[in-house]
Structure formats: C-alpha cells, structure tokens
Amino acid sequence: MRFEITSVPRIIFGPGTFKEVGGIAREFGARALVVTGGDPSRVGQLGELLKSHGVASAIFSLNGEPKTTDVEAGLAQARQLQAELVISCGGGSAIDCGKAIAAMLTNEGELLDYLEVIGKGRPIMCPGAPFIAIPTTAGTGAELTRNAVLASPEHGVKVSLRSPLMLARVALVDPELTLSLPPEITAATGLDALTQLIEPYTCNRANPMTDGLCLEGLQRAARSLREVFTNGTNLAAREDMCAASLFSGFALANAGLGAAHGFAAPIGGQFPAPHGAVCAALLPQVMRQNLMALRQRAPGSDSLARYQTVARALTGNSQAKAEDSVDWVSELTGFMRIPPLRVYGIRREDFPGLVAKAAKASSMKANPIALTVEELTGILEQAWQSNCGIWNADCGM
C-alpha cells in the first residue's frame, strides 16, 4: 500500500464562521483581490469585514465557468492593486479562478506556459500568493483541491492548472452562505459532490484516508440531498451537504475520479453545459457500465465490493446489492430534475470526438476498469436520452 496526502493547512467549518474572514485575511496582508461570480453585490458584506480589519479590497467578477481570459484579466487587476492575497467567495468557478490568479501572481511567464494539453505544461515552481477559499455552494469541493479547471474557448476544451503549491492557505466553509441557493443550483452542485464521493471510493487509486471521508460524506448526502432540494432553509441539511462537498474535495484531490468526470471536461469545453449537471446526468450511466464491465472482465475486482458498500450507504439497507446504488442515483437525478445531455446541443455526431477526448482525460485513468470505445459511447447515449420523461414532459427535441 502506498498513498500520498496533501491538503489545505487550515480548514474552518461551521455556521457563522464567515464573520471571521477579516481577521484571517489580515494575517496575510493589507490588499486583497476578491474574486466572485456575476453578482458582485453578493460580497458587499465581505468587503466590510475586510475593511474593519484594515484590509483594502477590489472585486473581480466573472460570469459562468472560468476561462483562461478571465484569469488573465483578474491577474492584471491584482497586479494593478498590488494585491498581497486573493480571496474567492462563490462557487467552484470563482474558487478555481482565484486559485489560478493567486498562482500566477508569484510565477513568471504566461498562463499558457503552465497549462496542460494546450500549453507547455511547465511545473509551477513558487507557492502562489496567499489564497482564501470561501465556497457559497455545496458541491465542487474546490476549496480543497490543488488544481483550477479553466475553459479555453478557442481550443474547445477545459484544461487544468495543477500543482500542490496552489492549495488554499485557508478554506472557510460556512453553511449559512448556501441557504439562499435555488433548487437548480442546489441539485447540480449537490450531485457533483455525490459524484466526487462515489468515484474516489470506487476508483483504482482509493486509499484508507479518503475511504473514510467518502463513506461519511455519502451518508450525509444520502440523508440530506432531497431535503436541501425541497427545503433549502434547513440549516442542518445544508451543513450536511457542505461537509459532503468538503470531503469530496479532499477525496478527489488525494485519490482520483472516474469516467463521469472524464466526460465532463470535454463536454464542458465544447458546449454550454454546467459541470455539476453534466456529472449528474452521466453518473448513473457510468456506474451501470462500470458494474457490467467489472463483472465481465474483472469479477474479482475490489471495486465490485466497493459499489456494494456505496449502495448500502446510500439506501441505508445492509442487504443492498451493488446494482441498487445505480437505481438509487437514477431515481434521485430524476427527482432533482437533472436534464439529459441532449439539451445542451450535443448531437450523436459529436459522440466520437467526445469519446476520444474523454478516453485521454486524466480523470479517466482512475476509473475502476478501462472502458472500451463502445462502452464509452453507450454511456453517452444513455446520458443523452436519460430522464427525459421524468425531467420534463416536452424535453424531446
């Protein structure tokens, strides 16, 4: 057995902890770039908390998932401010963007020098500027990961800026910040967290430390996902999902993912498809195909027993079988109105290109079994059609 663990050095979790941000930030400097989503008014209180502790701030706002051009624009603003630290307050997009800006503040050269796939892939040599991650959604776990996923529209792909030197100095997780999330975002982010708990637990790089957090996270998600979708003001359920998201970020950073995330990167790079909803549409199809492939080609694989454990954690039934996990997830995605992939403009003609890109994705390398082109195409086909009748009566196009 061999595994390696890296994590954020300081994690602060609990309702009301957001109010501590001013004092925490002042430990790192007096000028902060605040990275947030499309509505900068949502971080007004953050600015006041920083100001009360002598930290001047400027806001960099981005719309949608981060692009390479967003990082370059934010970096220019941070340099103009002479920012000593970067704070992201928002969903995974804002956190990844801020993480990349903080890294580029202290490393020479251009962003493309360090990007995988489309760039030179040079290693980041210097620790990034101090970075504080404050998630306002419960799903991506980006506050604990060591990479930033960025879209490059000109290349039609999503790529990563990746290094242990990019880890946040502080992850500040306050479940109260998620109380106002609408059901659609609650569903997409919550199911992203679920995917990031199931894939690391069943992948070929699982380890004892991530296993424990994955199982704890699965139990919390199982009892609270439906509740936060139907009753978003339930703080206890929101707390469960913030913990599940946090654990999923630790797990994916220290174990790996699988085919759902292998597909999510090329799909998100080519189509206007939100990451969490794409993962949710793919998850039950990936689980089903993995189980079939494992039973056919690797019946002695430990992953089969792990899928059974997942089923028992999700259903609460000690006699549940591995296939019960697929049924449970399928029913949940229908209940939470996750649309099929076809609604994002994906056509069957796009399948071969997406399969080819997914097969090369870093996440695919940790899938519990290598899937064939035919099996990967089958996953896409099912996710392209899935849930149509449940999600929306007129979604056939």
Side-chain angles (χ1 to χ4, degrees):
M1 182 190 301
R2 183 192 184 283
F3 59 90
E4 182 176 340
I5 299 296
T6 58
S7 187
V8 171
R10 188 179 181 192
I11 301 169
I12 304 170
F13 184 102
T17 52
F18 175 67
K19 295 176 183 177
E20 301 172 25
V21 67
I24 294 168
R26 192 64 183 86
E27 297 173 14
F28 299 111
R31 293 183 301 277
L33 181 73
V34 174
V35 181
T36 191
D39 182 5
S41 66
R42 296 185 64 186
V43 293
Q45 185 183 4
L46 173 58
E48 292 302 316
L49 290 168
L50 294 173
K51 184 178 180 181
S52 69
H53 284 80
V55 179
S57 63
I59 296 173
F60 177 74
S61 177
L62 73 152
N63 288 300
E65 296 182 353
K67 300 182 288 294
T68 53
T69 50
D70 292 320
V71 174
E72 290 163 351
L75 179 61
Q77 185 173 344
R79 286 173 173 161
Q80 183 178 14
L81 178 66
Q82 296 184 312
E84 297 173 273
L85 69 151
V86 178
I87 303 172
S88 282
C89 184
S93 295
I95 292 174
D96 275 2
C97 188
K99 204 182 301 180
I101 292 169
M104 291 305 301
L105 266 175
T106 57
N107 284 273
E108 296 180 352
E110 305 295 326
L111 178 61
L112 271 174
D113 292 338
Y114 300 95
L115 287 175
E116 300 172 352
V117 183
I118 63 171
K120 298 177 182 177
R122 283 172 45 190
I124 288 173
M125 302 303 295
C126 300
F131 175 60
I132 300 173
I134 308 173
T136 59
T137 64
T140 68
E143 64 272 16
L144 289 195
T145 60
R146 51 188 170 184
N147 70 302
V149 180
L150 309 174
S152 176
E154 62 180 301
H155 297 92
V157 294
K158 284 185 178 179
V159 295
S160 280
L161 185 66
R162 189 188 310 271
S163 172
L165 299 176
M166 292 173 58
L167 286 166
R169 302 286 182 90
V170 180
L172 184 58
V173 185
D174 186 340
E176 289 182 353
L177 299 179
T178 68
L179 289 172
S180 62
L181 283 179
E184 181 181 358
I185 297 177
T186 295
T189 54
L191 288 166
D192 190 18
L194 184 70
T195 307
Q196 293 171 177
L197 292 166
I198 292 174
E199 290 201 314
Y201 186 75
T202 57
C203 80
N204 58 29
R205 299 176 190 161
N207 66 70
M209 283 195 70
T210 56
D211 284 353
L213 288 175
C214 285
L215 290 177
E216 175 69 17
L218 285 170
Q219 292 170 13
R220 289 176 179 270
R223 73 189 184 204
S224 293
L225 264 170
R226 288 175 180 263
E227 177 64 17
V228 292
F229 182 68
T230 57
N231 179 17
T233 59
N234 184 326
L235 182 58
R238 291 290 191 185
E239 189 172 88
D240 266 349
M241 289 311 304
C242 285
S245 176
L246 186 74
F247 299 162
S248 80
F250 183 91
L252 75 89
N254 290 289
L257 290 163
H261 278 82
F263 270 120
I267 289 173
Q270 287 183 233
F271 301 93
H275 173 80
V278 169
C279 287
L282 288 160
L283 179 60
Q285 320 310 331
V286 167
M287 294 169 69
R288 182 179 292 109
Q289 186 59 72
N290 278 344
L291 284 171
M292 291 172 60
L294 287 165
R295 294 198 189 284
Q296 291 170 4
R297 301 195 295 276
S301 171
D302 178 57
S303 292
L304 285 170
R306 287 175 171 271
Y307 272 115
Q308 182 170 283
T309 302
V310 168
R312 293 175 178 181
L314 293 177
T315 65
N317 177 5
S318 62
Q319 302 303 311
K321 305 300 182 185
E323 284 73 13
D324 295 331
S325 65
V326 182
D327 294 339
W328 190 93
V329 173
S330 294
E331 182 182 352
L332 181 66
T333 57
F335 176 81
M336 300 183 88
R337 300 184 179 184
I338 296 300
L341 293 183
R342 64 193 297 175
V343 307
Y344 304 118
I346 301 171
R347 303 164 300 170
R348 283 194 172 99
E349 303 93 277
D350 300 312
F351 287 6
L354 290 172
V355 167
K357 290 180 180 179
K360 298 177 182 178
S362 57
S363 293
M364 193 68 77
K365 297 174 184 176
N367 200 60
I369 188 169
L371 298 174
T372 66
V373 169
E374 291 75 19
E375 288 168 339
L376 292 171
T377 302
I379 289 170
L380 267 187
E381 176 68 36
Q382 292 301 314
W384 189 77
Q385 297 187 57
S386 66
N387 289 343
C388 215
I390 300 173
W391 172 65
N392 190 326
D394 61 0
C395 73
M397 299 180 190

